[in-house]
Amino acid sequence: MKVLVPVKRVIDYNVKPRVKSDETGVDLANVKMSMNPFCEIAVEEAVRLKEKGVVTEVVAVSIGPAQAQETLRTALAMGADRAILVQTDADLEPLAVAKVLKAVIDEESPNLVVMGKQAIDGDNNATGQMLSALLGWPQASFASKLEVSGDKATVTREVDGGLQTIEAPLPVIITADLRLNEPRYASLPNIMKAKKKPLDTKDIASYGVDTAPRLKVVKVAEPPKRGGGIKVETAADLVAKLKNEAGVL
Amino acid sequence: MAVLVIADQTGGALSDNTHKTVSAAKAIGGDIDILVTGKDCKSAAEAAAKIEGVRKVLLAQSDDLGHGLAEAVEAAVVPLMGGYDAVLTPATSQGKNFSPRIAAKLDVSHISDIVEVVDASTFVRPIYAGNALETVQSSEAKKVITVRPTAFKAAGEGGSAAIEDIGAGDGAGATKFVTEEIVKSERPELTGAKIVVSGGRAMGSAEEFQKVIEPLADRLGAAVGASRAAVDAGYAPNDYQVGQTGKVVAPELYIAIGISGAIQHLAGMKDSKIIVAINKDGDAPIFQVADYGLVADYKAAVPELMSALG
């Protein structure tokens, strides 16, 4: 059984993003980039499925610039067996990403796709759902628990009021939420080993998918700043301020 | 121009998120219809019919729709889209689950989590955990959008739209509902509450979280929230999480207790009207967004706060 894990290279989780002064986007020059945290969770889950003997091969795929090879090496160091980079310098919208992933899936025929529920740059939370709809495969989004046995997946999902459990026949698209697992740190020997694992680079054009942007980005602006607040000395002062000054109690 | 709004309802009770999404639809313009999906949810359709400015209410019911299965909702919506230029859904977990499927089926982009309608084809949405606001323009024939409810005022009542039962759609996908654990609470719903009291990692245990945060919330008639750190540590259930990937709240008053203020948490609460932070670390980033900061150990500060409230 094979699992495919799409991963995205994004701004590091701990970096505060800064908007460019010409309002054309967020400044990513000389900014630390890492694997999207939700993608890390997806890789971890796939590797655990392999360690449990449920799957035999974990394939990581990234759609992005040449530097996304580093992100794929991270996935390989965590335990993926091989990697595919679909190379492009364009910033693809979720629909285009889903279409390219569908083309990769048509070639690779995995039994399971485990991917992050959202990337922390675009915050779209859409690619997994779109991929499921395009493929006609069942969808289990926002997973906090995954069990695969035989030809079906049982998935506990984080929903508005709590948790929901669903089951679906394979092949299935799973999107990972925060509580699915805690991703491992790659050990040094595994980082060294990962350098020798296969990583194929493919030109995005070779898939023949229309990835042209559908939306025009008019501008990217800084959000309004909150006015400076004050410190109060005691809880009693706080209550007085909330009652008399802010008028919210 | 016609816009379809997908209602947010639970067990036949219509959520205010629906009214707020109708306001976003009004900003786009044209006729507004509401689709209510679920099971035994006629009462939600009746409530939706009373929202001001709604032309008609469509009602689709089945077991799968009752469980909110994404494939079923998509299958109920897509055949209707011949008659609409846009479909708007509140950006709840449920809405986020099915809305991108509709976009994929229509071969259009998905416009996620809008906070402003500039005009009928131009929208503002937060990216990078709300550290940037992106304005996007769509020239596509159909617009598939999720709406951040806290960014819009609720549409008023006073309408009397007709309700049309459209059946279930042919949506039975391969996905089967097994079970659910829904947290029952007498407290107000987190995303719509006027006051939210949130606890962080400093609580140290689920018992302490319940002992400190919940009585204060109950004293104020508030909803309870939590930081990701507190949820990951098991101090609070997942649906309490406020932040970039959890719930987004914008109450009149947000009280953050023992929360340091990671950017991912701020993304979920920084549009609150008044923010109060109680943290013993005076350098915690939460104080940079707080209107009122109290540098103190919550163990002393919360009991004092309770007694000051009387």
Side-chain angles (χ1 to χ4, degrees):
Chain A
M1 190 181 297
K2 186 198 282 190
V3 52
L4 189 86
V5 189
V7 296
K8 186 175 185 186
R9 177 177 182 267
V10 298
I11 191 168
D12 187 82
Y13 188 76
N14 291 307
V15 175
K16 185 173 163 54
R18 304 216 177 273
V19 172
K20 288 186 199 167
S21 55
D22 64 359
E23 298 198 325
T24 56
V26 166
D27 193 356
L28 296 177
N30 304 315
V31 167
K32 186 182 178 199
M33 304 292 279
S34 298
M35 190 190 297
N36 178 46
F38 289 93
C39 303
E40 277 189 318
I41 295 170
V43 173
E44 175 66 33
E45 196 65 18
V47 171
R48 287 187 191 186
L49 286 172
K50 188 179 175 192
E51 288 168 348
K52 278 188 227 159
V54 176
V55 305
T56 48
E57 188 181 28
V58 177
V59 182
V61 56
S62 192
I63 303 165
Q67 296 92 320
Q69 286 184 26
E70 295 160 22
T71 314
L72 288 167
R73 291 287 172 204
T74 304
L76 294 169
M78 289 174 74
D81 297 291
R82 64 185 173 88
I84 302 165
L85 172 63
V86 180
Q87 198 168 329
T88 173
D89 288 325
D91 188 12
L92 301 193
E93 292 171 4
L95 181 63
V97 174
K99 287 181 174 181
V100 175
L101 288 175
K102 179 177 182 294
V104 172
I105 287 164
D106 288 344
E107 280 183 7
E108 289 284 335
S109 308
N111 307 82
L112 195 65
V113 175
V114 185
M115 58 199 290
K117 78 165 180 178
Q118 100 188 48
I120 61 165
D121 50 3
D123 279 339
N124 282 294
N125 191 337
T127 304
Q129 296 90 316
M130 290 181 136
L131 180 59
S132 161
L134 293 177
L135 285 165
W137 292 8
Q139 164 184 322
S141 61
F142 321 152
S144 66
K145 191 174 171 209
L146 167 64
E147 275 172 41
V148 179
S149 71
D151 60 355
K152 89 175 181 214
T154 306
V155 182
T156 301
R157 309 178 50 241
E158 299 202 352
V159 296
D160 293 314
L163 297 169
Q164 178 192 58
T165 302
I166 58 175
E167 62 179 43
L170 303 183
V172 60
I173 307 287
I174 314 281
T175 77
D177 215 318
L178 292 169
R179 258 68 63 178
L180 186 57
N181 60 52
E182 207 166 308
R184 71 193 66 191
Y185 290 101
S187 67
L188 191 58
N190 285 340
I191 292 170
M192 300 310 288
K193 262 191 249 168
K195 291 184 178 170
K196 298 203 179 86
K197 289 184 178 176
L199 192 164
D200 287 339
T201 298
K202 301 203 175 183
D203 184 350
I204 195 165
S206 70
Y207 289 98
V209 172
D210 172 18
T211 58
R214 304 291 190 88
L215 297 174
K216 180 181 164 202
V217 176
V218 179
K219 67 170 180 177
V220 174
E222 276 207 47
K225 290 230 182 330
R226 288 189 74 93
I230 58 162
K231 296 262 170 72
V232 295
E233 293 302 317
T234 67
D237 286 351
L238 177 60
V239 171
K241 294 271 189 205
L242 291 176
K243 279 187 176 156
N244 305 325
E245 198 174 273
V248 290
L249 284 185
Chain B
M1 187 85 175
V3 181
L4 182 65
V5 169
I6 317 281
D8 177 20
Q9 67 89 21
T10 311
L14 189 71
S15 158
D16 196 42
N17 290 333
T18 311
H19 301 68
K20 291 170 176 170
T21 305
V22 167
S23 290
K26 285 183 176 176
I28 290 175
D31 293 322
I32 298 168
D33 294 348
I34 297 182
L35 171 65
V36 177
T37 64
K39 167 94 174 162
D40 300 329
C41 58
K42 188 149 193 295
S43 52
E46 285 161 0
K50 295 194 179 105
I51 299 176
E52 195 204 332
V54 173
R55 179 175 65 174
K56 69 177 170 185
V57 174
L58 308 173
L59 175 61
Q61 302 188 89
S62 73
D63 288 341
D64 282 354
L65 289 170
H67 297 308
L69 296 183
E71 292 90 335
V73 183
E74 172 223 301
V77 176
V78 170
L80 302 173
M81 286 308 295
Y84 298 97
D85 305 285
V87 53
L88 272 59
T89 304
T92 58
S93 300
Q94 161 71 350
K96 292 172 187 173
N97 189 34
F98 67 75
S99 184
R101 298 183 64 88
I102 299 168
K105 281 291 167 81
L106 298 173
D107 194 29
V108 298
S109 39
H110 188 259
I111 306 174
S112 302
D113 211 16
I114 64 163
V115 294
E116 188 188 333
V117 175
V118 179
D119 60 41
S121 58
T122 313
F123 311 95
V124 180
R125 52 180 303 267
I127 55 173
Y128 288 87
N131 285 289
L133 292 173
E134 179 185 57
T135 303
V136 292
Q137 196 170 41
S138 163
S139 53
E140 293 174 303
K142 310 271 179 200
K143 285 146 186 87
V144 182
I145 296 171
T146 49
V147 175
R148 179 176 289 194
T150 55
F152 294 88
K153 285 200 163 59
E157 306 245 319
S160 57
I163 299 172
E164 189 182 318
D165 200 320
I166 60 164
D170 55 355
T175 311
K176 298 271 174 279
F177 171 82
V178 179
T179 178
E180 65 185 2
E181 293 167 47
I182 299 300
V183 181
K184 293 253 187 293
S185 172
E186 298 300 310
R187 297 191 186 96
E189 200 265 319
L190 183 55
T191 53
K194 287 208 160 42
I195 304 178
V196 173
V197 179
S198 281
R201 194 204 310 260
M203 299 300 115
S205 70
E207 295 71 33
E208 184 75 356
F209 190 96
Q210 283 160 17
K211 205 174 89 189
V212 174
I213 302 300
E214 297 190 357
L216 178 60
D218 292 340
R219 170 64 188 77
L220 294 167
V224 177
S227 68
R228 177 192 167 182
V231 175
D232 282 0
Y235 307 162
N238 64 277
D239 64 312
Y240 283 20
Q241 187 186 324
V242 171
Q244 179 184 17
T245 67
K247 292 193 169 145
V248 176
V249 302
E252 296 281 302
L253 173 60
Y254 187 89
I255 304 180
I257 299 174
I259 291 178
S260 63
I263 57 172
Q264 292 80 13
H265 185 74
L266 302 185
M269 45 64 82
K270 69 186 170 59
D271 294 326
S272 304
K273 186 168 165 235
I274 297 290
I275 296 173
V276 169
I278 300 174
N279 198 305
K280 67 179 175 187
D281 173 9
D283 295 326
I286 190 80
F287 288 116
Q288 289 166 20
V289 299
D291 298 282
Y292 300 104
L294 177 59
V295 181
D297 189 335
Y298 77 85
K299 287 188 169 143
V302 172
E304 282 167 27
L305 191 57
M306 291 287 275
S307 70
L309 287 165

